Amino acid sequence: KKMGEVCLARVDERLIHGQVMTNLSKKSGANSIFIVDDMVANDNFMKNIFLSAGSRTGLKVQIYTLEGAVKYWEETQFENYKCILLTKTIDTMYELAKAGVKMKEVNLGGIAKKPNTVAILSAVCIKAEDAKHLQEMHDDMGIQDIYFQTIPSAKRIELAEALKKF
């Protein structure tokens, strides 16, 4: 039975932008990008922007609501796609992991500063609740590799180090 694979799960509020996806897909061996975001999935204008941004990377782009993505995983295990799984929030990624979507590696790449957040990198700021969820993903859901890094060539901070800030 064929089974898809999440090559890389990434949390980035900007989703697809610039050269990041091209670099990440080369590095990870992905052939597709799955965006999981209720707002984008339900907004045709935004959806088309990301579909065209994605097609420039040469990867197949699919956009799902959280519920749709979970259903697609449960029914097909993402078929034979090797995807970069993209969400805007740690919450959405946490819900995907909790629903059983298998991911080996979660990259926190872009979350803007908001009230009550702590900067792990200047472009990646998280709340205490996010930290708790990431810890749970690591300890209880078996996702070994959780790290903060904006682009593949930038400084990388491991989860354990980030959690010391809380």
Side-chain angles (χ1 to χ4, degrees):
K1 186 170 165 306
K2 61 181 190 250
M3 187 171 148
E5 184 194 347
V6 176
C7 299
L8 170 68
R10 176 175 165 95
V11 178
D12 187 343
E13 286 177 340
R14 298 154 304 180
L15 297 171
I16 298 174
H17 60 99
Q19 289 300 302
V20 177
M21 278 306 118
T22 315
N23 294 343
L24 287 176
S25 66
K26 287 200 177 91
K27 193 176 154 275
S28 67
N31 60 14
S32 52
I33 298 172
F34 289 4
I35 292 175
V36 181
D37 187 78
D38 289 357
M39 236 165 61
V40 173
N42 291 314
D43 178 336
N44 282 329
F45 179 72
M46 287 307 294
K47 214 163 147 172
N48 287 331
I49 288 176
F50 286 115
L51 288 170
S52 72
S55 68
R56 286 198 291 278
T57 64
L59 302 170
K60 177 157 177 55
V61 179
Q62 312 212 86
I63 301 175
Y64 297 97
T65 59
L66 173 58
E67 195 186 338
V70 167
K71 205 170 147 209
Y72 184 40
W73 173 261
E74 286 173 348
E75 289 172 3
T76 69
Q77 313 272 268
F78 295 166
E79 299 175 86
N80 45 9
Y81 287 108
K82 292 167 100 64
C83 71
I84 294 175
L85 189 61
L86 272 185
T87 67
K88 281 187 187 178
T89 65
I90 290 170
D91 275 346
T92 304
M93 198 62 82
Y94 173 74
E95 291 301 332
L96 287 165
K98 214 164 73 166
V101 176
K102 284 197 183 25
M103 41 187 102
K104 295 188 280 283
E105 176 179 346
V106 177
N107 163 226
L108 303 141
I111 306 168
K113 193 162 176 43
K114 291 175 203 71
N116 306 320
T117 58
V118 173
I120 308 298
L121 294 166
S122 62
V124 191
C125 306
I126 68 171
K127 305 185 298 278
E129 186 198 5
D130 295 327
K132 204 173 93 242
H133 280 162
L134 292 169
Q135 175 102 60
E136 204 180 307
M137 287 163 77
H138 182 272
D139 297 348
D140 305 339
M141 301 179 199
I143 304 169
Q144 289 314 301
D145 198 10
I146 301 179
Y147 60 94
F148 296 76
Q149 187 181 40
T150 50
I151 54 172
S153 57
K155 178 176 155 64
R156 171 182 165 131
I157 293 182
E158 302 304 326
L159 178 61
E161 194 184 329
L163 290 174
K164 288 179 190 152
K165 298 194 176 200
F166 289 91

